[in-house]
Amino acid sequence: MEFRPCIDIHNGKVKQIVGGSLRDEGDQALENFVSEQNAADFARLYRNAGIRGGHVILLNGSGSSYYERTKAEAVSALREWPGGLQVGGGITAENAAEFLEAGASHVIVTSYVFRDGRIYRDRLEKLVEAVGRDRLVLDLSCRKTREGYRIVTDRWQKLTDVRMDEALLDSLSDCCDEFLVHAVDVEGRADGIEEELASLLGNWGKKSVTYAGGVHSYKDLELLRKLGKDRLNVTVGSALDLFGGELEWQKVLKICC
């Protein structure tokens, strides 16, 4: 299990938010933490600690008046730790190269591929052609419904008809290098992981998967290791001391080694 750090950027600032609260209208979100440091500061910290594979997420849509400010912050982080960070948020086949050239090791994609309740295979193929599967991370962030887990898109605001299960993971595994999965129902709440989802991902275990959502204690990390059969990587956000929480990031790093 690897610790994968995060740099979430909203309205031009590094933040931790309650994932399900994000709204494009008015650029609103329930905030857990707003940092006085910029994205490059966090990238420098991760670089100095030798932590790779963290993700920089742009939480403003391209139509937002804050988008360019948020993008500038993201690019500054990528340039600070070239090859050490992944980037997501509004990535398309047309703009992916710009972020790779700025220093991203991978681009993270959801909404470009999952739209209108289904998977657009032609867009996925176009993306693979543009960046190569070895530099692509598919974000399969999801919510639990009566029918099981379903993929959410557009900064976790739109529920699709696509089920997040082992069959989906199998069908997409040849198209990307890794998966990133936010458990949106618990994202940013720091009150426990989504155990059923962690078990699903751990049971599959055929490719690198990073789980994010709900970690609030060191026991959660051990539980995730157990449920994920030591196959999952983990992101810790609001509970981390870097973002105003109580978990010491260096201790988290040691536990995950």
Side-chain angles (χ1 to χ4, degrees), residues 43-109:
R44 189 177 306 112
L45 175 69
Y46 302 150
R47 184 196 68 200
N48 291 340
I51 308 172
R52 292 182 173 272
H55 48 270
V56 181
I57 304 295
L58 291 74
L59 293 176
N60 291 104
S62 58
S64 167
S65 60
Y66 290 97
Y67 177 75
E68 290 301 328
R69 194 185 310 176
T70 291
K71 179 181 175 183
E73 278 292 300
V75 169
S76 71
L78 299 176
R79 288 176 174 162
E80 187 66 40
W81 189 195
L85 295 166
Q86 305 171 357
V87 65
I91 303 295
T92 68
E94 289 72 32
N95 68 11
E98 178 182 0
F99 290 97
L100 294 175
E101 290 168 4
S105 65
H106 297 68
V107 290
I108 305 168
V109 177

Side-chain angles (χ1 to χ4, degrees), residues 1-6 51-55 178-182 187 193-194 198 201 208-225 228 230-237 239-240 247 249 251-257:
M1 185 165 70
E2 297 178 4
F3 171 53
R4 297 291 187 88
C6 60
I51 308 172
R52 292 182 173 272
H55 48 270
E178 300 182 11
F179 293 113
L180 169 64
V181 182
H182 291 86
E187 174 68 27
I193 64 172
E194 183 67 66
L201 297 172
S208 179
V209 179
T210 297
Y211 169 91
V215 173
H216 82 302
S217 68
Y218 300 118
K219 287 185 178 180
D220 277 341
L221 293 172
E222 296 299 343
L223 179 60
L224 186 65
R225 185 191 297 276
D230 207 16
R231 294 169 171 168
L232 302 181
N233 303 319
V234 61
T235 290
V236 184
L240 208 64
L247 302 188
W249 73 270
K251 186 173 181 179
V252 169
L253 184 59
K254 288 180 180 178
I255 290 174
C256 292
C257 289

Side-chain angles (χ1 to χ4, degrees), residues 109-128:
V109 177
T110 306
S111 301
Y112 180 74
V113 172
F114 299 90
R115 299 185 67 87
D116 305 322
R118 65 186 182 88
I119 302 174
Y120 277 70
R121 292 281 178 177
D122 57 335
R123 287 191 169 205
L124 179 56
E125 292 171 5
K126 187 176 181 181
L127 195 59
V128 170

